[in-house]
Amino acid sequence: MFAYKVSVFYGCLNGATNNNFSKFSKNNNDLGLAPMVAIIYHAETKEATEFGEKYSKGIKPSTYSDYQGKPPI
């Protein structure tokens, strides 16, 4: 269950950053979803990632600032 949630979260971050999170992971030698694929099937990981990407489209930017007056990431 945890692996599925991580995959959804990864997809959400990737979708919210227009696939830049995936590129960032690769450029920094991050394993990305490889550990999750090892735990759950590739098809389930893909499903969870796609769900996260769809979910990210409904997330609205925050209207509050952090302690330095900048919008949160």
Side-chain angles (χ1 to χ4, degrees):
M1 186 63 163
F2 180 73
Y4 191 87
K5 289 179 182 180
V6 169
S7 297
V8 170
F9 184 66
Y10 185 94
C12 189
L13 288 174
N14 199 40
T17 60
N18 295 319
N19 293 321
N20 286 327
F21 187 73
S22 179
K23 291 174 189 172
F24 174 82
S25 294
K26 289 176 187 172
N27 291 340
N28 289 283
N29 296 321
D30 190 325
L31 292 175
L33 289 176
M36 300 311 125
V37 174
I39 296 170
I40 59 178
Y41 294 110
H42 181 73
E44 290 175 320
T45 305
K46 186 173 188 278
E47 174 189 292
T49 304
E50 289 173 353
F51 177 74
E53 288 176 357
K54 288 178 186 174
Y55 182 74
S56 73
K57 291 176 181 26
I59 298 173
K60 304 293 181 215
S62 177
T63 57
Y64 64 90
S65 301
D66 68 6
Y67 69 95
Q68 294 177 333
K70 298 178 184 175
I73 298 173

